[in-house]
């Protein structure tokens, strides 16, 4: 659709650790002027008085299920949920059907997104035990990263061949993102649980099966490989206090070769919540005991962890309701509600708004070396969120935009809500409605 010029008037701009009252001018898909009073003729003017104006959120880990698993979600459906929650850019995982394990299949996903995604997008290339040459052909300027499952999860793309792992870490031309859980540890723990319970294992046993020890062993291996080969490594969804010491916080993010992500559900839930929510919060790596949850936010604030993401991973309600532990899949839908969850922590005085913007907008852009996104700077792409902190609302089925139609947050009330979302200069979400005509852009990288 044609680009509009948009003038956002009178909001509180949050950018680069500062708050500034003023206007924001968007033209031709880019930010043209920032701050002060701007009086120019535009196609659309938005009154943002009393609202916060933020850079669009960049979510570096989502599962949108297309192709092959579209009974759970599509790229189009979950992109709509994303923009309703203030996420303007997503990076999607390769464990679809078929898995994105060659360049042709990877490009097919980009074609699907170009035709239907209202948000900006990138897709990870997948690694397996036998696609080394194909993985190494990936262009680091047009693809966000290479995903390695160092522990099996949905899609069974486990990479456990030591020679393959070493070669990938030694030769990858782009960032390697890892899911770290030691498979031998998980299988051992699962066998013990099966011996005790059969297949009707209580979900409260999930963090014992996918244990702290399994996470630490796998993460430690990934860090050791990265240090050996000077690999650009990004470890996803850290869930334990024990893993914090693997990461540095004494150098700037731009200089780090090893970085870490923490997800909103690991900051929100603990093992006691299995009693109330059951399989709805079953995910990999598991939500663990309260002392682990309590340690994650301080580690984020002191920069041992660099990025906040969702690991948005929808499954149908029927799939999640299965009693057989081994059949009920891990993963939960979150991309619509990530900012809501973080703003709840801000309202509780646990994190500042400036730090939320840093970890959800600025840091992913730096971490992945994204071209001109993640900031409210002149010359950047116009990815902008207007958030009204005065609105109170409750998560109900009619407010949930995930294709699966459920959320572990159903019934919870939040104060504050995304009012508008602008994607690459286009008004993608406003007044509770997604503009289906908007198309996001394939993001580029300055590596």
């Amino acid at each position: 659709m044609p680009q509009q010029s948009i003038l956002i008037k009178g909001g509180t701009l949050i950018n680069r650790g500062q708050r500034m009252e003023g206007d924001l001018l968007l033209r031709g898909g880019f930010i043209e002027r920032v701050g002060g009073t701007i009086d120019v003729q535009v196609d659309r003017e938005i009154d943002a008085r009393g609202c916060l104006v933020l850079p669009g959120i960049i979510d570096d880990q989502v599962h949108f299920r297309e192709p092959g698993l579209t009974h759970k979600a599509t790229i189009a459906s979950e992109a709509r949920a994303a923009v309703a929650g203030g996420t303007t850019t997503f990076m999607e995982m390769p464990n679809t059907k078929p898995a994105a394990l060659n360049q042709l299949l990877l490009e097919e996903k980009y074609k699907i997104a170009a035709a239907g995604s209202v948000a900006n997008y990138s897709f990870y290339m997948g690694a397996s035990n036998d696609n080394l040459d194909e993985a190494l052909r990936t262009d680091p300027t047009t693809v966000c990263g290479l995903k390695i499952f160092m522990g099996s999860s949905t899609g069974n793309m486990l990479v456990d061949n030591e020679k393959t792992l070493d070669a990938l870490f030694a030769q990858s031309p782009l960032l390697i993102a890892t899911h770290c859980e030691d498979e031998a540890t998980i299988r051992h723990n699962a066998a013990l649980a099966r011996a005790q319970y059969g297949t009707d294992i209580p979900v409260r046993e999930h963090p014992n099966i996918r244990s702290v020890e399994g996470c630490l062993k796998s993460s430690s291996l990934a860090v050791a490989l990265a240090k050996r080969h000077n690999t650009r490594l990004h470890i996803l969804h850290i869930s334990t206090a024990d893993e914090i010491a693997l990461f540095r916080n004494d150098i700037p993010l731009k200089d780090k070769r090893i970085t870490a992500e923490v997800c909103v559900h690991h900051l929100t839930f603990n093992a006691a919540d299995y009693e109330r929510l059951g399989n709805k919060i079953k995910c990999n790596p598991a939500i663990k005991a309260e002392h682990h949850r309590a340690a994650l936010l301080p580690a984020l604030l002191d920069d041992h962890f660099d990025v906040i993401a969702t690991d948005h991973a929808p499954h149908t309600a029927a799939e999640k309701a299965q009693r057989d532990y081994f059949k009920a899949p891990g993963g939960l839908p979150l991309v619509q509600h990530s900012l809501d969850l973080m703003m709840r922590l801000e309202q509780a005085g646990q994190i500042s708004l400036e730090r939320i913007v840093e970890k959800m907008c600025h840091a992913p852009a730096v971490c992945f070396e994204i071209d001109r996104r993640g900031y409210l700077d002149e010359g950047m792409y116009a990815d902008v969120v207007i958030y009204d902190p005065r609105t109170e609302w409750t998560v109900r089925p009619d407010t949930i935009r995930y294709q699966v139609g459920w959320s572990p947050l159903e019934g919870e009330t939040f104060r504050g809500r995304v009012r508008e979302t602008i994607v690459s200069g286009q008004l993608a979400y406003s007044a509770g409605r997604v503009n289906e005509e908007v198309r996001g852009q394939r993001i580029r990288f300055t590596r």
Side-chain angles (χ1 to χ4, degrees):
M1 61 182 297
Q3 294 284 356
Q4 285 189 321
S5 55
I6 301 174
L7 179 58
I8 301 170
K9 295 286 291 183
T12 300
L13 310 178
I14 313 295
N15 191 47
R16 295 189 180 272
Q18 297 183 334
R19 301 187 186 205
M20 175 173 57
E21 304 294 326
D23 302 343
L24 189 69
L25 176 61
L26 316 177
R27 199 189 300 274
F30 293 90
I31 298 172
E32 186 171 292
R33 289 176 60 186
V34 180
T37 300
I38 303 172
D39 290 314
V40 295
Q41 198 73 21
V42 291
D43 298 317
R44 182 188 293 267
E45 185 170 302
I46 298 174
D47 183 355
R49 287 175 296 178
C51 294
L52 306 170
V53 181
L54 321 173
I57 293 166
I58 301 170
D59 193 333
D60 75 349
Q61 187 188 185
V62 301
H63 300 262
F64 283 1
R65 306 303 192 199
E66 191 173 11
L69 299 165
T70 53
H71 68 287
K72 303 175 193 278
T74 67
I75 291 170
S77 72
E78 307 312 278
R80 291 192 292 268
V83 298
T87 293
T88 56
T89 298
F90 64 82
M91 304 181 208
E92 204 265 353
M93 290 298 164
N95 54 329
T96 45
K97 289 188 177 180
L101 292 172
N102 63 52
Q103 299 300 322
L104 178 62
L105 291 172
L106 180 63
E107 285 305 314
E108 284 299 315
K109 295 180 77 170
Y110 280 103
K111 290 177 182 177
I112 295 169
S117 176
V118 69
N120 305 315
Y121 50 87
S122 190
F123 296 92
Y124 288 87
M125 177 64 181
S128 70
N129 281 326
D130 55 7
N131 80 330
L132 176 64
D133 290 343
E134 191 73 6
L136 295 179
R137 291 178 53 216
T138 308
D139 183 351
T141 68
T142 62
V143 174
C144 53
L146 177 65
K147 174 64 181 288
I148 301 179
F149 287 91
M150 294 175 65
S152 61
S153 190
T154 302
N156 195 26
M157 290 175 57
L158 175 66
V159 180
D160 58 358
N161 182 297
E162 291 183 12
K163 289 184 178 180
T164 300
L165 271 177
D166 194 73
L168 286 166
F169 274 79
Q171 300 176 52
S172 176
L174 72 169
L175 175 148
I176 288 178
T178 55
H179 175 130
C180 287
E181 292 183 284
D182 181 66
E183 188 66 16
T185 300
I186 294 168
R187 289 175 180 168
H188 172 75
N189 293 339
L192 293 177
R194 188 190 287 271
Q196 182 174 356
Y197 297 104
T199 59
D200 193 17
I201 298 169
V203 70
R204 66 175 181 271
E205 291 297 316
H206 190 54
N208 298 324
I209 294 170
R210 303 188 83 99
S211 64
V212 172
E213 294 76 17
C215 291
L216 179 60
K217 184 174 182 179
S218 184
S219 295
S220 298
L221 173 60
V223 168
L225 285 166
K227 288 181 176 179
R228 180 188 307 164
H229 298 296
N230 193 31
T231 312
R232 178 64 188 91
L233 170 67
H234 184 59
I235 300 187
L236 303 166
H237 44 43
I238 298 294
S239 62
T240 79
D242 299 49
E243 294 168 280
I244 295 169
L246 294 172
F247 306 101
R248 296 179 63 176
N249 70 344
D250 59 336
I251 57 174
L253 174 57
K254 65 180 179 62
D255 297 329
K256 291 185 180 184
R257 297 292 291 167
I258 299 172
T259 52
E261 167 205 280
V262 65
C263 289
V264 290
H265 50 296
H266 291 123
L267 294 170
T268 300
F269 301 110
N270 66 33
D273 292 310
Y274 290 115
E275 186 69 27
R276 176 172 59 94
L277 293 168
N279 284 337
K280 288 183 177 180
I281 58 166
K282 182 186 180 187
C283 57
N284 306 326
I287 290 163
K288 297 179 174 68
E290 169 59 18
H291 74 274
H292 291 292
R293 188 208 65 79
L296 298 179
L297 185 59
L300 177 76
L301 294 174
D302 74 7
D303 296 328
H304 280 92
F305 301 153
D306 305 290
V307 170
I308 299 169
T310 65
D311 192 17
H312 172 83
H315 300 281
T316 67
E319 289 168 335
K320 293 294 268 184
Q322 294 176 98
R323 288 289 300 273
D324 186 328
Y325 171 85
F326 297 100
K327 291 181 179 178
L332 57 160
L334 286 162
V335 74
Q336 183 186 344
H337 299 105
S338 58
L339 182 57
D340 300 318
L341 289 168
M342 294 310 301
M343 290 300 292
R344 176 180 281 176
L345 294 178
E346 188 269 341
Q347 291 156 10
Q350 296 182 52
I351 186 172
S352 70
L353 182 57
E354 291 84 354
R355 292 288 266 165
I356 291 173
V357 168
E358 177 191 340
K359 297 295 186 177
M360 300 185 86
C361 311
H362 302 341
V366 174
C367 185
F368 285 82
E369 300 176 86
I370 298 173
D371 180 29
R372 291 172 290 173
R373 299 188 192 271
Y375 296 86
L376 297 181
D377 293 351
E378 293 177 4
M380 291 278 181
Y381 285 98
D383 297 330
V384 183
V385 174
I386 301 172
Y387 179 89
D388 187 346
R390 302 160 296 189
T391 302
E392 189 169 283
W393 63 289
T394 300
V395 180
R396 301 185 310 268
D398 64 319
T399 69
I400 294 169
R401 295 178 181 270
Y402 312 127
Q403 181 173 296
V404 292
W406 67 270
S407 165
L409 303 172
E410 189 171 338
E412 296 199 25
T413 296
F414 290 92
R415 189 172 80 249
R417 194 173 195 177
V418 171
R419 201 185 73 180
E420 284 98 4
T421 302
I422 297 166
V423 175
S424 297
Q426 305 165 85
L427 188 59
Y429 176 77
S430 180
R433 298 185 64 182
V434 175
N435 185 344
E436 303 277 358
E437 295 182 8
V438 167
R439 290 292 173 268
Q441 297 181 1
R442 179 173 181 166
I443 59 174
R444 305 285 171 165
F445 305 88
T446 59
R447 300 164 176 147

